[in-house]
Amino acid sequence: MSSTTHAIHYEKKHLPASAGTLGWGVLIAGLAVAGASFAMDPMRAKYSSIMLFMFLAGVGICSLFMVSIEYLAGAVWSTPLRRVFEILASSLLFLPLFALPILPFMQELYLWTHKTDDILARKAAYLNQPFFLIRLALILGIWILFYKLFTGRSYKQDETRDQDLTRKNVKLSAVFIPVFGISITALSIDFLMSLEPHWFSTMFGVNFFAGSLVAALGVITITVILLNENGYLVKGIIGDHYYSLGFGMFAGCVFWTYTAFSQGMLIWYANLPEETPWFLNRWEGSWKVITIALLLVHFIGPLFGLIQRKNKRNPSRMIFMAAWVIFAHVLDLYWIVVPVFQPEGPSLRLTEFGFIAIAIGFLIVLVTQQAKKKNLVAVGDPKLQRGLAFRL
Amino acid sequence: MSKKAKNNAMSENKESQKLFALTGLFDTPDEIMHAASAASKKYRKYDVHTPYPVHGMDDAMGLGESPIGWCTLLIGTSCMLMMLGFIAWVSLVDYPLVWAGKPYFSLPGYIPILFEVTVLTGAVSTVLILFFIVSGFPNNNHPLHDTPYMQRTSDDKFGLCLEAADPNFNEADAKGLLEKMGAKNIQPVYYEKAEADAGLSLTHPAFVSFLAFVIVGVSGAAYFGLNRMVFMVPFNYMSVQGRAVAQEKNNIFKDGRSMQKPVAGTVARGLLPYPFKLDDQIKAQAEAGKYLSNPLPRTEAVFELGKTQFDSKCSACHGYYGEGDSRLNGKFPAPPTLHSKKVSEWTDANIYHVITEGQNVMPSYAKQLTRDERWAVVHYIRALQRSLKPKETDLQ
């Protein structure tokens, strides 16, 4: 409470050049490995592109989701961190690039593009390539539009300190949330669920949203803590702010488990032949190990790692748990995508690590590049002081 | 006791009463935060009272992590495991039941139940721990109750209460601290004699009898309320129907029975009374022979029926070919052969009469064989007779 009386001292400091170099290095190494695998192990590279695209799409759009729910809920704890959400949401601008490697190989990746039967014929009105591309363009276009609108006003506010911009963004958030819900569901159905076009689950979209939110919060947490502990953000961001991020990750993991379990248990109970194969494929052979590992990594680990308040306020433990939940989301994507192409069992090659390196390098480059031009704290936001005074 | 009286009692009996704490009131949350952090450096036993939650107070007071969460986790988890054990015992040992084609023990279906049990037991036990262990529940006295200090802190002031039980407590020092932090209304709070003497504990007879009264009252009310007064049959069993049941009392009829005697002269469906029942068997047989004739045609189906019935009901004594070669090894007198001249000369109706009414030691077979079956057996017997004494036309 006492800090409300203090003035905000934000001085823009430039990130060390080594961070950018590291990012470019990791990104280029990843691209080299991925490029080589397109030549040597093309199938693996192709389905890994789906995972990379969906991971970055989830992180980008859920970062924007965090921005919009801050406006919508009038949250103050996240205001000092919001610029980090906005910087990570700028990965939406590059999503078309990451979608590109998938499109030429749709015939190989998606069964519904080249085969038909009674079921697929009925789904053909939705699952056909022209409509798929229209939907993709529409979804990415809408996301980029919303990103531009939200962050444009936010950056403008740094200069003008105009409170009306916040009000406009609150109204925009009310429009964005339903659009977000529909678009992320559609994207997850298009790219992930239609890998096995005979199968369907109404829980799939919300499950992907929960996993993506957890991953986005993980990336946000690591970025915020690294920036803040090294003094690049404003003074006054403390363990209580980390606590709130950890709280989000904890809630996200439990929500993911809830949706995943609802999906699994209802299909298990009903035992219908058109629904069960998806789970049976993942419950056979060595995929069973991955399924059980997913439960432990995505639920049990975060449950006990994040339940204690002192862990959520401790920067190094939070970085560890953030990395953990990001890994959990990657494992979730792997568990959804790879069994389609490798029903015999999971296997790891350099390819997967190359694609992981692309994601890591891309996010580092994104943050360093954006940090060159922009303030790392929304200094013009009217809620900033209250946000810094936030205590549990 | 009214406030005024209490205040008077406080000031009059200072010497004889035991000091509970020294209290001070502050005007703003900032002041109480500073005061709390100053107090936390010196004392362990002290408390802060505010009209609404003040964020950051945990840190200012230097409070560690509460052990309550661990109690909740421990009890919730152990009750979950107990429930899992119970489910396993029911579904594997006590009442194994296949439902939905699943294995006896199928965990996915139990997870919602286990989750609910964990949440329920965790929540209820946390409340009980807070009541009984943290707040010393049956004892609802607290020296701060009904003091001007508590009235102000539940209205618009922020209070700091330094307890005398703290080993570092010294009335002069505590007063100095409160004054230094800018407290107003610095007041000592004493144990009230009546409260201090009441000493309600878990084993106090008043509390135990109250608890017993509550348990009996609640369970009795629940039992009679739910099972007697508002009990509704969840569904009707098939045996429960709105109709009269045989052997049961029934008020509709004069004699009070639900099952009424048939009207005199009633004939059951399909039953033809057999009229040739005379004391003189031979005369009755002759009468039957005079008035009856075999109604069945000589078709293959009829012969098949006759053979089946003869083989299963007659052949034990008469033999498969009617020669009187009983399979009973003399346990029962063997009948004479059916190929005798007497039987050969009988009309169909004569044979039918013997099957229906019995003859000598042979009992009536009217219960075992229907009317048509008896006539079919007669046809079959005729066929047997003919097979031993064929006519010349049969041999061609």
Side-chain angles (χ1 to χ4, degrees):
Chain A
M1 286 291 172
S2 54
S3 46
T4 48
T5 54
H6 296 178
I8 297 161
H9 304 294
Y10 174 70
E11 234 180 280
K12 183 161 167 52
K13 282 191 262 178
H14 286 286
L15 296 182
S18 58
T21 320
L22 174 76
W24 280 112
V26 174
L27 179 60
I28 289 167
L31 285 172
V33 171
S37 357
F38 265 104
M40 288 154 67
D41 193 353
M43 206 56 211
R44 191 177 289 269
K46 285 165 197 165
Y47 65 67
S48 297
S49 321
I50 302 182
M51 287 157 65
L52 178 68
F53 172 71
M54 287 312 280
F55 177 79
L56 289 176
V59 168
I61 194 60
C62 284
S63 299
L64 196 63
F65 172 73
M66 289 299 293
V67 173
S68 81
I69 54 168
E70 182 198 311
Y71 282 118
L72 204 56
V76 292
W77 68 268
S78 62
T79 308
L81 320 174
R82 201 188 65 234
R83 191 48 54 77
V84 177
F85 306 171
E86 289 167 359
I87 286 174
L88 288 170
S90 70
S91 61
L92 293 174
L93 299 173
F94 301 91
L95 280 186
L97 283 182
F98 287 100
L100 273 186
I102 304 170
L103 302 180
F105 307 116
M106 283 186 64
Q107 296 282 343
E108 294 166 64
L109 291 169
Y110 293 98
L111 185 73
W112 51 266
T113 52
H114 54 90
K115 267 198 180 158
T116 190
D117 54 36
D118 272 1
I119 293 173
L120 294 184
R122 280 156 204 259
K123 293 184 178 181
Y126 187 84
L127 282 183
N128 58 68
Q129 282 199 55
F131 193 27
F132 180 94
L133 294 174
I134 292 170
R135 279 197 306 271
L136 179 63
L138 205 62
I139 289 168
L140 295 186
I142 288 173
W143 286 0
I144 290 170
L145 177 71
F146 272 104
Y147 165 77
K148 285 284 184 193
L149 288 172
F150 273 119
T151 54
R153 285 177 190 152
S154 176
Y155 292 133
K156 197 173 158 197
Q157 203 174 38
D158 280 10
E159 314 295 330
T160 64
R161 320 254 155 166
D162 182 4
Q163 299 197 3
D164 209 37
L165 294 170
T166 300
R167 255 174 238 124
K168 281 181 184 161
N169 267 357
V170 169
K171 283 177 190 156
L172 184 65
S173 304
V175 180
F176 173 70
I177 293 293
V179 173
F180 163 79
I182 294 166
S183 56
I184 195 171
T185 307
L187 195 78
S188 69
I189 289 173
D190 282 358
F191 277 86
L192 296 178
M193 202 165 99
S194 80
L195 285 169
E196 282 166 88
H198 295 97
W199 182 75
F200 60 92
S201 161
T202 48
M203 268 290 185
F204 197 85
V206 71
N207 187 237
F208 175 74
F209 156 66
S212 297
L213 183 64
V214 167
L217 281 166
V219 177
I220 287 168
T221 304
I222 291 179
T223 318
V224 162
I225 291 178
L226 287 179
L227 289 174
N228 189 44
E229 295 296 309
N230 295 310
Y232 293 100
L233 300 183
V234 69
K235 195 161 178 273
I237 298 175
I238 54 165
D240 296 23
H241 297 90
Y242 301 163
Y243 171 92
S244 302
L245 290 172
F247 179 78
M249 287 196 284
F250 178 81
C253 281
V254 174
F255 182 56
W256 175 89
T257 314
Y258 165 66
T259 54
F261 177 73
S262 302
Q263 175 176 287
M265 191 194 73
L266 289 180
I267 287 175
W268 170 83
Y269 245 122
N271 215 4
L272 298 176
E274 68 259 38
E275 291 176 345
T276 46
W278 198 85
F279 279 95
L280 282 176
N281 293 342
R282 285 156 180 79
W283 197 247
E284 271 166 10
S286 39
W287 280 113
K288 192 170 183 172
V289 180
I290 299 288
T291 309
I292 293 168
L294 188 64
L295 176 72
L296 297 177
V297 171
H298 216 312
F299 177 57
I300 306 290
L303 179 69
F304 288 101
L306 284 167
I307 199 167
Q308 275 191 286
R309 179 180 275 201
K310 66 180 179 205
N311 288 359
K312 279 177 285 199
R313 298 173 79 165
N314 180 319
S316 52
R317 288 185 199 176
M318 273 294 282
I319 286 189
F320 175 77
M321 285 318 297
W324 178 295
V325 297
I326 294 169
F327 171 70
H329 181 55
V330 172
L331 189 69
D332 185 23
L333 285 176
Y334 189 82
W335 180 76
I336 290 170
V337 172
V338 183
V340 183
F341 302 100
Q342 290 181 18
E344 66 280 359
S347 67
L348 271 187
R349 299 280 182 279
L350 195 58
T351 309
E352 277 87 350
F353 294 101
F355 278 88
I356 290 172
I358 293 179
I360 294 172
F362 169 74
L363 289 171
I364 296 175
V365 169
L366 192 74
V367 172
T368 52
Q369 289 295 316
Q370 295 272 334
K372 277 186 190 165
K373 296 172 271 179
K374 287 152 188 164
N375 287 336
L376 288 175
V377 174
V379 287
D381 196 292
K383 292 186 295 181
L384 183 58
Q385 276 199 330
R386 284 204 289 149
L388 289 171
F390 170 75
R391 295 294 178 274
L392 291 175
Chain B
M1 185 186 283
S2 75
K3 278 181 274 171
K4 203 174 172 187
K6 189 166 171 174
N7 288 344
N8 287 343
M10 265 186 204
S11 46
E12 280 165 19
N13 302 325
K14 267 183 190 171
E15 295 309 313
S16 61
Q17 279 181 327
K18 201 177 149 201
L19 183 69
F20 168 70
L22 205 60
T23 62
L25 293 174
F26 297 84
D27 287 333
T28 65
D30 273 4
E31 282 175 20
I32 191 70
M33 288 279 260
H34 287 127
S37 49
S40 72
K41 293 193 178 74
K42 196 165 178 192
Y43 300 110
R44 301 293 306 148
K45 280 187 175 285
Y46 71 100
D47 212 346
V48 170
H49 300 92
T50 59
Y52 55 82
V54 176
H55 291 282
M57 185 54 86
D58 293 24
D59 284 341
M61 290 177 73
L63 294 179
E65 200 171 296
S66 165
I68 288 290
W70 291 106
C71 299
T72 312
L73 180 73
L74 188 74
I75 294 175
T77 317
S78 45
C79 288
M80 182 193 78
L81 291 175
M82 270 160 59
M83 192 65 199
L84 184 63
F86 175 70
I87 293 175
W89 175 72
V90 168
S91 51
L92 290 176
V93 181
D94 188 50
Y95 209 85
L97 196 65
V98 174
W99 47 270
K102 305 280 193 277
Y104 286 133
F105 186 82
S106 20
L107 195 60
Y110 306 150
I111 284 179
I113 299 162
L114 295 176
F115 169 75
E116 298 292 346
V117 165
T118 314
V119 170
L120 180 74
T121 54
V124 169
S125 63
T126 305
V127 171
L128 290 180
I129 287 171
L130 286 172
F131 265 25
F132 284 95
I133 297 175
V134 179
S135 304
F137 171 54
N139 189 351
N140 62 355
N141 293 324
H142 194 280
L144 285 179
H145 274 188
D146 218 11
T147 57
Y149 168 81
M150 195 44 93
Q151 282 161 2
R152 292 316 298 271
T153 56
S154 55
D155 183 7
D156 61 349
K157 297 286 183 202
F158 303 82
L160 179 63
C161 165
L162 303 170
E163 291 178 22
D166 193 281
N168 291 333
F169 185 83
N170 171 307
E171 202 169 344
D173 283 356
K175 195 164 184 174
L177 178 80
L178 287 170
E179 276 168 353
K180 196 180 129 207
M181 298 316 299
K184 290 155 197 145
N185 290 22
I186 299 173
Q187 287 279 344
V189 174
Y190 296 96
Y191 284 104
E192 219 169 299
K193 197 161 169 26
E195 285 175 354
D197 292 349
L200 280 174
S201 72
L202 277 175
T203 50
H204 194 281
F207 179 68
V208 172
S209 41
F210 168 73
L211 207 60
F213 174 75
V214 167
I215 290 170
V216 170
V218 168
S219 45
Y223 177 76
F224 283 105
L226 297 177
N227 282 351
R228 295 277 174 261
M229 286 161 66
V230 295
F231 178 73
M232 281 182 289
V233 184
F235 56 87
N236 280 338
Y237 294 103
M238 206 171 175
S239 58
V240 181
Q241 294 180 2
R243 58 166 171 75
V245 177
Q247 318 296 346
E248 261 184 11
K249 208 177 154 184
N250 191 320
N251 292 328
I252 296 171
F253 298 110
K254 235 184 229 169
D255 59 358
R257 298 166 196 249
S258 10
M259 202 157 70
Q260 294 293 300
K261 280 184 181 168
V263 182
T266 308
V267 175
R269 289 182 76 111
L271 182 101
L272 267 186
Y274 191 67
F276 307 104
K277 286 182 189 232
L278 302 173
D279 290 340
D280 185 350
Q281 278 291 333
I282 299 177
K283 197 178 168 195
Q285 191 185 11
E287 285 282 302
K290 203 190 289 178
Y291 294 110
L292 291 180
S293 64
N294 198 334
L296 298 185
R298 291 193 189 89
T299 63
E300 199 174 333
V302 170
F303 281 115
E304 271 301 319
L305 177 67
K307 176 177 166 39
T308 318
Q309 295 303 326
F310 184 88
D311 285 355
S312 68
K313 310 218 161 81
C314 316
S315 69
C317 298
H318 287 283
Y320 285 113
Y321 303 103
E323 291 176 307
D325 48 345
S326 162
R327 294 201 298 281
L328 301 175
N329 296 330
K331 298 265 165 51
F332 196 81
T337 171
L338 294 174
H339 301 284
S340 62
K341 190 162 181 283
K342 179 176 96 178
V343 180
S344 303
E345 283 172 0
W346 274 357
T347 63
D348 283 1
N350 290 139
I351 303 176
Y352 177 83
H353 178 86
V354 171
I355 302 174
T356 309
E357 289 293 304
Q359 191 185 53
N360 301 333
V361 291
M362 174 175 164
S364 159
Y365 272 74
K367 293 256 169 17
Q368 289 89 330
L369 296 166
T370 65
R371 212 152 42 89
D372 283 358
E373 282 166 354
R374 274 173 262 157
W375 284 118
V377 166
V378 172
H379 272 321
Y380 183 66
I381 291 170
R382 288 286 184 233
L384 288 177
Q385 290 171 340
R386 183 110 168 237
S387 68
L388 284 193
K389 289 177 191 153
K391 290 182 177 168
E392 273 192 33
T393 47
D394 296 337
L395 298 173
Q396 284 166 356

